[in-house]
């Protein structure tokens, strides 16, 4: 696949009103989600939960791509249709999470680096054969008021992201590059903006050094928000302005789209921030979403593991996706949450 073909896939994922459903939770993470609704996490329950989402009527209007987990990429619907085939048949591009998690960065207390580069080329070839057209790798950047992250911690994660992205493009997959500055801690919004800027600058320097074609990349960054423990939480407009200022300074216009992670925000907060940013457009890149919890929390609450609730769960996903589709046009308002 050449760069023009990669760019076409990237653009299709972030087509107008569309974004990404992140359904790539690892085994421990999906167990935590299921624990909140008292559902046992088994292969059967995980498969059925994902099937309910992937077969929800009309979600293709708002969902351009779905990130799958290794197990999910290999699963099928009850009638035997592989999930990647099901999604592709609906015009939704299937993708795959390929990193193997963030581990402590040696000799750097409090910092982590994402592992999974060993054997990645071979895994990417297999995933491509199973129907994936894009991939995702998440780097975790811890932040505090003064010392974290270190310059080396940022560099180590940026370098790994670039190596991953180059391998993806080599085998014909669009890489989603995710440098997440965490919103844990007590830092203010200004500190988050400064660290996010440093992380983005390092990532794009490494992508350039590795020869990655930016036209065939999607960026999945955090929004610029204060830490959860901060005494001053920024309002919606302040978050939108700080985030866009940071992106305009550090994200090249060649990137087709930015698909924000929700990063612990509520579904309503993530949608409001996205809408505020799009209302300030146009932008050099598509400004979209790649949400996990912010799309799935209402689905889990409606489903609760009961087959009789499947239709309600699908309706909850469609409604959340619709609201984010409106946010892609800067047309979402909080009053829509109760309007249905």
């Amino acid at each position: 696949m050449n760069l023009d073909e990669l760019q076409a896939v990237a653009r299709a994922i972030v087509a107008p009103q569309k974004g990404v459903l992140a359904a790539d939770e690892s085994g421990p993470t999906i167990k935590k989600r299921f624990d909140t609704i008292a559902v046992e996490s088994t292969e059967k329950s995980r498969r059925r939960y994902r099937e309910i989402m992937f077969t929800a009527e009309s979600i293709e209007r708002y969902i351009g791509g779905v990130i799958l987990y290794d197990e999910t990429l290999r699963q099928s619907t009850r009638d035997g249709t592989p999930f990647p085939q099901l999604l592709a048949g609906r015009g939704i591009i299937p993708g795959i999470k390929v990193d193997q998690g963030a581990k402590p960065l040696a000799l750097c207390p409090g910092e982590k680096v994402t592992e999974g580069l060993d054997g990645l080329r071979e895994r990417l070839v297999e995933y491509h054969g199973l129907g994936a057209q894009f991939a995702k790798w998440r780097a975790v950047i811890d932040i505090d008021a003064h010392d974290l992250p270190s310059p080396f911690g940022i560099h180590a994660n940026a370098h790994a992201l670039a190596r991953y992205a180059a391998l993806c493009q080599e085998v014909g997959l669009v890489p989603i590059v995710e440098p997440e500055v965490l919103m844990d801690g007590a830092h203010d919004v200004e500190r988050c903006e400064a660290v996010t800027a440093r992380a983005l600058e390092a990532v794009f320097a490494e992508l350039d050094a590795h020869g990655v074609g930016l036209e065939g990349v999607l960026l999945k960054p955090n929004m610029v928000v204060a830490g959860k423990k901060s005494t001053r939480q920024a309002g919606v407009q302040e978050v939108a302005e700080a985030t866009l200022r940071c992106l305009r300074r550090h994200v090249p216009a060649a990137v087709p789209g930015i698909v924000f992670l929700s990063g612990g925000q509520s579904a309503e907060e993530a949608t409001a921030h996205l809408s505020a940013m799009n209302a300030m457009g146009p932008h050099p890149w598509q400004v979209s979403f790649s949400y996990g919890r912010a799309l799935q929390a209402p689905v889990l609450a409606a489903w609760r593991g009961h087959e009789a609730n499947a239709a309600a769960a699908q309706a909850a996903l469609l409604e959340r996706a619709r609201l984010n589709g409106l946010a892609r046009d800067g047309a979402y308002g909080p009053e829509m949450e109760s309007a249905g």
Side-chain angles (χ1 to χ4, degrees):
M1 187 180 290
N2 60 35
L3 188 56
D4 287 343
E5 292 171 322
L6 291 170
Q7 184 180 40
V9 172
R11 285 179 170 173
I13 293 170
V14 292
Q17 294 193 320
K18 293 187 178 183
V20 177
L21 167 61
D24 59 337
E25 298 89 354
S26 64
T29 300
I30 195 69
K31 182 183 184 302
K32 290 178 184 177
R33 303 269 173 93
F34 279 11
D35 284 347
T36 65
I37 57 171
V39 172
E40 184 181 2
S41 179
T42 64
E43 189 278 336
K44 181 178 179 181
S45 64
R46 293 189 296 269
R47 190 208 62 77
R48 181 55 184 151
Y49 172 60
R50 266 70 180 255
E51 180 181 21
I52 287 170
M53 289 194 292
F54 301 162
T55 57
E57 185 178 356
S58 299
I59 59 165
E60 63 273 12
R61 292 175 57 188
Y62 312 109
I63 302 297
V66 174
I67 310 172
L68 306 171
Y69 188 56
D70 182 277
E71 175 188 72
T72 318
L73 185 71
R74 305 172 192 276
Q75 290 175 324
S76 302
T77 62
R78 290 187 291 193
D79 67 6
T81 305
F83 282 157
Q85 183 180 326
L86 168 76
L87 292 168
R90 304 188 66 185
I92 300 172
I93 298 174
I96 178 70
K97 167 191 166 77
V98 299
D99 70 71
Q100 296 180 337
K103 306 294 172 60
L105 181 59
L107 305 182
C108 295
E111 297 191 90
K112 295 180 179 179
V113 66
T114 302
E115 297 185 348
L117 289 170
D118 289 349
L120 180 58
R121 177 182 277 112
E122 293 75 21
R123 288 193 289 126
L124 291 173
V125 170
E126 180 188 15
Y127 290 147
H128 190 269
L130 289 170
Q133 295 184 56
F134 70 95
K136 190 207 80 167
W137 178 289
R138 175 181 180 239
V140 176
I141 299 171
D142 286 289
I143 177 174
D144 65 13
H146 304 290
D147 301 321
L148 296 180
S150 69
F152 179 72
I154 289 178
H155 170 76
N157 278 291
H159 183 79
L161 279 166
R163 286 186 61 191
Y164 140 81
L167 286 166
C168 283
Q169 291 194 340
E170 179 183 77
V171 304
L173 294 172
V174 170
I176 291 185
V177 174
E178 180 180 358
E180 179 180 2
V181 176
L182 298 177
M183 63 182 293
D184 302 328
H187 57 275
D188 58 24
V189 68
E190 291 81 8
R191 173 68 175 156
C192 181
E193 182 176 354
V195 172
T196 301
R198 288 167 51 201
L200 291 174
E201 184 176 4
V203 165
F204 283 102
E206 288 293 330
L207 290 172
D208 180 64
H210 283 73
V212 174
L214 297 186
E215 295 84 355
V217 168
L218 292 173
L219 176 69
K220 182 172 180 175
N222 55 282
M223 297 180 190
V224 174
V225 296
K228 293 177 183 176
K229 299 176 184 176
S230 174
T231 56
R232 188 184 78 82
Q233 293 295 318
V236 170
Q237 191 62 28
E238 185 179 359
V239 167
E241 291 173 357
T243 303
L244 286 175
R245 180 171 57 241
C246 188
L247 295 173
R248 286 172 180 153
R249 289 173 175 173
H250 300 286
V251 180
V255 175
I258 293 169
V259 289
F260 284 105
L261 57 90
S262 49
Q265 300 177 61
S266 71
E268 296 80 7
E269 288 171 336
T271 307
H273 289 145
L274 178 65
S275 189
M277 282 185 265
N278 276 301
M280 295 167 66
H283 306 299
W285 356 256
Q286 293 293 312
V287 175
S288 187
F289 59 91
S290 178
Y291 294 162
R293 255 179 302 189
L295 282 172
Q296 292 187 46
V299 183
L300 284 166
W303 178 52
R304 298 197 170 275
H306 299 295
E307 193 60 33
N309 296 337
Q314 291 178 325
L317 176 60
L318 178 60
E319 177 62 7
R320 198 76 244 153
R322 183 186 73 84
L323 292 173
N324 281 289
L326 289 169
R328 290 278 278 112
D329 290 333
Y332 164 86
E335 70 280 356
M336 297 176 181
E337 292 292 339
S338 58

